[in-house]
Amino acid sequence: MPANKQRPPFRAEHLGSLLRPNELVEKRIQLDDKKALEIVKDDELHAMEDNAINEIVKLQLDLGFHAINDGEYRRHQFWGTFFPNLEGFEEIMNPEWEMFRMYVPDTAAFTETGHKPGETIVCTGKIMHVGSAYLSDWNYLKKLVPADKVEELKITLAAPEWYHLRYKKGRAYPKEVYATDAEYFADIAKAYQTELQLLYDNGCRNVTIDDPNLAYFCDEKMIAGFKADGEDADALLDSYIKLYNDCVSSRPSDMHLGIHLCRGNFAYSKHFSEGGYDRIATKLFNNIDADTYFLEYDTARAGNFEPLKELPAHKNVVLGVITSKFPELEDVEATRQRVFQAADIIASGVGQTREEALKRIGVSPQCGFASHHLGNAVTREDMIAKLKLVRELANSIWPGEP
């Protein structure tokens, strides 16, 4: 059996995106009509981001977190600019709705509210990694902490199938470039392999892939949409799992890989989908070569803890039992009992005791505080109170552990 990785993950975690200062939000709003790769070249914005990152890193240190990141302050939305930075992808400013699978939860929600579906990036040619989208961000971040803390820092990455699920069959890439999904995925995987190695060579040992798409396979409305289109959602999920494993197939053994699932965390605390992990638990926990799963568990829309009995003994879970969407603070004792309930279920699946299972568990908010640069319906003070609560909860269950 593979060894269980620890430190990372830590007992108290957060998912990455943190509320941006108002001036940073306002500056991004001014640039909203520009393409993603144009925005990252704005010198005034970049200087503002530097200052904000300096402050948010200090805050995380002061609050006792170890898997520190840059708050995703250099990103418009949580996935950043990995895809438009690849050769073979282009951003479309005014996409036609007919190219989208309208039953994919986030696309449907955008339609209802009149929003465009985030940044629309499409494959237009042969995909090649021609320069890292994340490396400069990483190198700036690691300068802000002592050298012995660099290996604890975390960077979050886009999901490899992000610009595939949302598009109708045949619309994700040109047929004259890729004849099949398998060919397309193969080049995506090569790009991820290159990116991960570049990050590793520069000291990164802790990455998490943010992937609401996987959680959408828990949503019965989306599954019904695939059936209506005559497509096999389960087969598509299997292809995405293979893509994941191909993407990380060459990662060094001491690079920790987390996967974060939630049901949407758009501006002003909007979620997109519902449904427990039951539909995907066996494949999610057993078939993907990841070390840790960061799972939404703040409301009933994520279902109960029963699917966690599928978690193998060498893998970890960070329970997102604190909500980042609203300011009300959870009761510490009631939330402790929820963690113990989850631990008992995890233990039952592999013949462990509660104490043994707790060694593979951490706690966090269910998602970030600003997956979209506009942020959730909370204030900075609310966010700090929530982060303090995560640390307090962790201390109450695992005293003295990071």
Side-chain angles (χ1 to χ4, degrees), residues 128-319:
M128 291 185 63
H129 190 288
V130 291
S132 174
Y134 297 116
L135 187 57
S136 63
D137 298 354
W138 167 257
N139 283 333
Y140 185 85
L141 174 65
K142 74 180 186 182
K143 294 189 302 183
L144 303 180
V145 300
D148 62 346
K149 297 294 184 183
V150 169
E151 65 182 13
E152 297 180 345
L153 298 174
K154 176 164 66 176
I155 190 165
T156 54
L157 309 182
E161 82 287 14
W162 189 246
Y163 287 112
H164 184 271
L165 177 66
R166 62 175 53 188
Y167 300 133
K168 287 181 179 177
K169 191 171 184 178
R171 299 299 297 268
Y173 50 82
K175 281 294 184 184
E176 61 270 22
V177 178
Y178 296 109
T180 64
D181 280 354
E183 291 182 7
Y184 168 80
F185 291 155
D187 280 351
I188 295 288
K190 289 176 185 176
Y192 271 80
Q193 291 164 14
T194 301
E195 185 74 27
L196 288 171
Q197 189 63 50
L198 282 170
L199 290 169
Y200 183 87
D201 291 344
N202 282 269
C204 180
R205 298 294 183 270
N206 186 14
V207 299
T208 294
I209 296 176
D210 282 325
D211 197 349
N213 280 356
L214 292 179
Y216 294 164
F217 283 88
C218 304
D219 189 287
E220 293 301 331
K221 291 182 180 178
M222 189 182 86
I223 302 306
F226 274 107
K227 289 180 179 177
D229 274 0
E231 293 190 64
D232 186 340
D234 292 328
L236 184 62
L237 176 60
D238 289 341
S239 73
Y240 289 165
I241 289 172
K242 182 182 185 303
L243 170 59
Y244 258 94
N245 291 336
D246 290 343
C247 286
V248 303
S249 61
S250 61
R251 71 173 167 124
S253 61
D254 60 339
M255 174 178 262
H256 170 263
L257 175 67
I259 297 179
H260 167 229
L261 281 72
C262 79
R263 288 148 184 79
N265 193 47
F266 191 57
Y268 312 124
S269 302
K270 182 176 180 58
H271 74 276
F272 296 139
S273 70
E274 298 182 0
Y277 298 98
D278 310 70
R279 285 198 83 260
I280 66 172
T282 300
K283 293 179 179 179
L284 175 68
F285 299 143
N286 290 277
N287 296 356
I288 298 181
D289 184 20
D291 301 306
T292 302
Y293 298 89
F294 295 78
L295 301 181
E296 173 183 354
Y297 265 121
D298 61 328
T299 69
R301 67 174 166 265
N304 58 39
F305 293 131
E306 284 298 318
L308 296 177
K309 67 180 181 292
E310 300 288 342
L311 188 73
H314 65 283
K315 293 190 176 185
N316 309 297
V317 64
V318 176
L319 301 171

Side-chain angles (χ1 to χ4, degrees), residues 32-43:
D32 206 34
D33 61 341
K34 296 184 180 297
K35 292 185 176 182
L37 293 183
E38 296 174 352
I39 293 173
V40 299
K41 297 176 182 177
D42 188 281
D43 290 338

Side-chain angles (χ1 to χ4, degrees), residues 320-372:
V321 289
I322 304 296
T323 191
S324 67
K325 292 184 181 294
F326 305 108
E328 293 78 15
L329 294 176
E330 290 80 357
D331 179 79
V332 172
E333 182 54 33
T335 310
R336 268 169 51 91
Q337 294 306 316
R338 291 193 69 207
V339 174
F340 293 148
Q341 179 191 3
D344 289 341
I345 291 170
I346 291 169
S348 71
V350 291
Q352 291 182 332
T353 64
R354 173 191 287 187
E355 290 69 27
E356 289 171 329
L358 282 170
K359 293 178 181 178
R360 301 188 288 119
I361 298 175
V363 292
S364 72
Q366 97 294 343
C367 196
F369 291 87
S371 301
H372 185 282

